[in-house]
PDB file of all heavy atoms in Angstrom:
ATOM      1  N   GLY R 190      -7.161  -6.041  23.432  1.00 90.00           N
ATOM      2  CA  GLY R 190      -7.303  -6.167  24.881  1.00 90.00           C
ATOM      3  C   GLY R 190      -6.983  -4.888  25.640  1.00 90.00           C
ATOM      4  O   GLY R 190      -6.508  -4.918  26.774  1.00 90.00           O
ATOM      5  N   ARG R 191      -7.254  -3.727  25.012  1.00 93.00           N
ATOM      6  CA  ARG R 191      -6.927  -2.459  25.690  1.00 93.00           C
ATOM      7  C   ARG R 191      -8.137  -1.917  26.442  1.00 93.00           C
ATOM      8  O   ARG R 191      -9.284  -2.212  26.091  1.00 93.00           O
ATOM      9  CB  ARG R 191      -6.430  -1.426  24.679  1.00 93.00           C
ATOM     10  CG  ARG R 191      -5.095  -1.826  24.080  1.00 93.00           C
ATOM     11  CD  ARG R 191      -4.576  -0.806  23.105  1.00 93.00           C
ATOM     12  NE  ARG R 191      -3.380  -1.305  22.428  1.00 93.00           N
ATOM     13  CZ  ARG R 191      -2.800  -0.719  21.413  1.00 93.00           C
ATOM     14  NH1 ARG R 191      -3.286   0.415  20.932  1.00 93.00           N
ATOM     15  NH2 ARG R 191      -1.720  -1.230  20.856  1.00 93.00           N
ATOM     16  N   ASP R 192      -7.847  -1.083  27.416  1.00 94.00           N
ATOM     17  CA  ASP R 192      -8.888  -0.495  28.241  1.00 94.00           C
ATOM     18  C   ASP R 192      -9.500   0.708  27.506  1.00 94.00           C
ATOM     19  O   ASP R 192      -8.782   1.455  26.834  1.00 94.00           O
ATOM     20  CB  ASP R 192      -8.170  -0.098  29.544  1.00 94.00           C
ATOM     21  CG  ASP R 192      -8.880   0.951  30.308  1.00 94.00           C
ATOM     22  OD1 ASP R 192      -9.883   0.591  30.917  1.00 94.00           O
ATOM     23  OD2 ASP R 192      -8.449   2.124  30.284  1.00 94.00           O
ATOM     24  N   ILE R 193     -10.817   0.930  27.636  1.00 97.00           N
ATOM     25  CA  ILE R 193     -11.486   1.963  26.832  1.00 97.00           C
ATOM     26  C   ILE R 193     -10.944   3.374  27.112  1.00 97.00           C
ATOM     27  O   ILE R 193     -10.823   4.189  26.196  1.00 97.00           O
ATOM     28  CB  ILE R 193     -13.027   1.902  26.982  1.00 97.00           C
ATOM     29  CG1 ILE R 193     -13.681   2.925  26.045  1.00 97.00           C
ATOM     30  CG2 ILE R 193     -13.498   2.133  28.408  1.00 97.00           C
ATOM     31  CD1 ILE R 193     -14.985   2.548  25.478  1.00 97.00           C
ATOM     32  N   ASN R 194     -10.584   3.653  28.370  1.00 97.00           N
ATOM     33  CA  ASN R 194     -10.051   4.993  28.672  1.00 97.00           C
ATOM     34  C   ASN R 194      -8.717   5.225  27.961  1.00 97.00           C
ATOM     35  O   ASN R 194      -8.449   6.316  27.475  1.00 97.00           O
ATOM     36  CB  ASN R 194      -9.875   5.166  30.188  1.00 97.00           C
ATOM     37  CG  ASN R 194     -11.225   5.339  30.843  1.00 97.00           C
ATOM     38  OD1 ASN R 194     -12.089   6.066  30.321  1.00 97.00           O
ATOM     39  ND2 ASN R 194     -11.442   4.647  31.952  1.00 97.00           N
ATOM     40  N   THR R 195      -7.894   4.180  27.912  1.00 96.00           N
ATOM     41  CA  THR R 195      -6.608   4.272  27.214  1.00 96.00           C
ATOM     42  C   THR R 195      -6.841   4.554  25.727  1.00 96.00           C
ATOM     43  O   THR R 195      -6.164   5.393  25.126  1.00 96.00           O
ATOM     44  CB  THR R 195      -5.833   2.936  27.363  1.00 96.00           C
ATOM     45  OG1 THR R 195      -5.870   2.554  28.726  1.00 96.00           O
ATOM     46  CG2 THR R 195      -4.429   3.025  26.861  1.00 96.00           C
ATOM     47  N   VAL R 196      -7.828   3.872  25.154  1.00 97.00           N
ATOM     48  CA  VAL R 196      -8.126   4.041  23.731  1.00 97.00           C
ATOM     49  C   VAL R 196      -8.581   5.477  23.459  1.00 97.00           C
ATOM     50  O   VAL R 196      -8.117   6.121  22.511  1.00 97.00           O
ATOM     51  CB  VAL R 196      -9.218   3.032  23.274  1.00 97.00           C
ATOM     52  CG1 VAL R 196      -9.567   3.251  21.804  1.00 97.00           C
ATOM     53  CG2 VAL R 196      -8.764   1.598  23.496  1.00 97.00           C
ATOM     54  N   LEU R 197      -9.466   5.994  24.317  1.00 98.00           N
ATOM     55  CA  LEU R 197      -9.982   7.355  24.105  1.00 98.00           C
ATOM     56  C   LEU R 197      -8.889   8.402  24.324  1.00 98.00           C
ATOM     57  O   LEU R 197      -8.820   9.396  23.597  1.00 98.00           O
ATOM     58  CB  LEU R 197     -11.184   7.613  25.017  1.00 98.00           C
ATOM     59  CG  LEU R 197     -12.430   6.770  24.702  1.00 98.00           C
ATOM     60  CD1 LEU R 197     -13.540   7.027  25.713  1.00 98.00           C
ATOM     61  CD2 LEU R 197     -12.935   7.049  23.279  1.00 98.00           C
ATOM     62  N   ASP R 198      -8.030   8.185  25.331  1.00 98.00           N
ATOM     63  CA  ASP R 198      -6.924   9.133  25.578  1.00 98.00           C
ATOM     64  C   ASP R 198      -5.981   9.174  24.383  1.00 98.00           C
ATOM     65  O   ASP R 198      -5.588  10.248  23.920  1.00 98.00           O
ATOM     66  CB  ASP R 198      -6.120   8.722  26.825  1.00 98.00           C
ATOM     67  CG  ASP R 198      -6.881   9.031  28.105  1.00 98.00           C
ATOM     68  OD1 ASP R 198      -7.893   9.761  28.026  1.00 98.00           O
ATOM     69  OD2 ASP R 198      -6.475   8.520  29.176  1.00 98.00           O
ATOM     70  N   GLN R 199      -5.628   7.988  23.884  1.00 98.00           N
ATOM     71  CA  GLN R 199      -4.711   7.922  22.723  1.00 98.00           C
ATOM     72  C   GLN R 199      -5.360   8.609  21.512  1.00 98.00           C
ATOM     73  O   GLN R 199      -4.687   9.324  20.769  1.00 98.00           O
ATOM     74  CB  GLN R 199      -4.399   6.450  22.384  1.00 98.00           C
ATOM     75  CG  GLN R 199      -3.368   6.304  21.272  1.00 98.00           C
ATOM     76  CD  GLN R 199      -3.297   4.887  20.701  1.00 98.00           C
ATOM     77  OE1 GLN R 199      -4.137   4.035  21.009  1.00 98.00           O
ATOM     78  NE2 GLN R 199      -2.287   4.630  19.880  1.00 98.00           N
ATOM     79  N   TYR R 200      -6.662   8.436  21.383  1.00 98.00           N
ATOM     80  CA  TYR R 200      -7.358   9.025  20.223  1.00 98.00           C
ATOM     81  C   TYR R 200      -7.286  10.550  20.271  1.00 98.00           C
ATOM     82  O   TYR R 200      -6.933  11.190  19.282  1.00 98.00           O
ATOM     83  CB  TYR R 200      -8.830   8.560  20.184  1.00 98.00           C
ATOM     84  CG  TYR R 200      -9.523   9.007  18.916  1.00 98.00           C
ATOM     85  CD1 TYR R 200      -9.384   8.293  17.729  1.00 98.00           C
ATOM     86  CD2 TYR R 200     -10.304  10.171  18.895  1.00 98.00           C
ATOM     87  CE1 TYR R 200      -9.981   8.716  16.557  1.00 98.00           C
ATOM     88  CE2 TYR R 200     -10.912  10.604  17.726  1.00 98.00           C
ATOM     89  CZ  TYR R 200     -10.751   9.870  16.557  1.00 98.00           C
ATOM     90  OH  TYR R 200     -11.346  10.292  15.394  1.00 98.00           O
ATOM     91  N   SER R 201      -7.611  11.138  21.437  1.00 98.00           N
ATOM     92  CA  SER R 201      -7.642  12.610  21.471  1.00 98.00           C
ATOM     93  C   SER R 201      -6.243  13.215  21.498  1.00 98.00           C
ATOM     94  O   SER R 201      -6.020  14.303  20.954  1.00 98.00           O
ATOM     95  CB  SER R 201      -8.489  13.109  22.647  1.00 98.00           C
ATOM     96  OG  SER R 201      -8.020  12.537  23.833  1.00 98.00           O
ATOM     97  N   LYS R 202      -5.287  12.475  22.093  1.00 98.00           N
ATOM     98  CA  LYS R 202      -3.928  13.020  22.210  1.00 98.00           C
ATOM     99  C   LYS R 202      -3.116  12.874  20.923  1.00 98.00           C
ATOM    100  O   LYS R 202      -2.388  13.788  20.528  1.00 98.00           O
ATOM    101  CB  LYS R 202      -3.215  12.278  23.354  1.00 98.00           C
ATOM    102  CG  LYS R 202      -1.987  12.956  23.889  1.00 98.00           C
ATOM    103  CD  LYS R 202      -1.560  12.265  25.175  1.00 98.00           C
ATOM    104  CE  LYS R 202      -0.215  12.749  25.648  1.00 98.00           C
ATOM    105  NZ  LYS R 202       0.295  11.937  26.746  1.00 98.00           N
ATOM    106  N   PHE R 203      -3.235  11.722  20.269  1.00 98.00           N
ATOM    107  CA  PHE R 203      -2.380  11.465  19.099  1.00 98.00           C
ATOM    108  C   PHE R 203      -3.134  11.180  17.802  1.00 98.00           C
ATOM    109  O   PHE R 203      -2.778  11.724  16.754  1.00 98.00           O
ATOM    110  CB  PHE R 203      -1.449  10.262  19.373  1.00 98.00           C
ATOM    111  CG  PHE R 203      -0.488  10.470  20.505  1.00 98.00           C
ATOM    112  CD1 PHE R 203      -0.511   9.635  21.619  1.00 98.00           C
ATOM    113  CD2 PHE R 203       0.452  11.497  20.446  1.00 98.00           C
ATOM    114  CE1 PHE R 203       0.384   9.826  22.662  1.00 98.00           C
ATOM    115  CE2 PHE R 203       1.351  11.695  21.484  1.00 98.00           C
ATOM    116  CZ  PHE R 203       1.315  10.847  22.600  1.00 98.00           C
ATOM    117  N   VAL R 204      -4.136  10.288  17.868  1.00 98.00           N
ATOM    118  CA  VAL R 204      -4.743   9.787  16.618  1.00 98.00           C
ATOM    119  C   VAL R 204      -5.454  10.901  15.851  1.00 98.00           C
ATOM    120  O   VAL R 204      -5.208  11.098  14.664  1.00 98.00           O
ATOM    121  CB  VAL R 204      -5.709   8.610  16.918  1.00 98.00           C
ATOM    122  CG1 VAL R 204      -6.306   8.071  15.612  1.00 98.00           C
ATOM    123  CG2 VAL R 204      -4.990   7.501  17.672  1.00 98.00           C
TER     124      VAL R 204
END
Side-chain angles (χ1 to χ4, degrees):
R191 293 181 187 171
D192 158 75
I193 184 147
N194 286 318
T195 312
V196 178
L197 294 176
D198 286 348
Q199 185 194 9
Y200 187 82
S201 54
K202 197 169 171 190
F203 297 120
V204 182

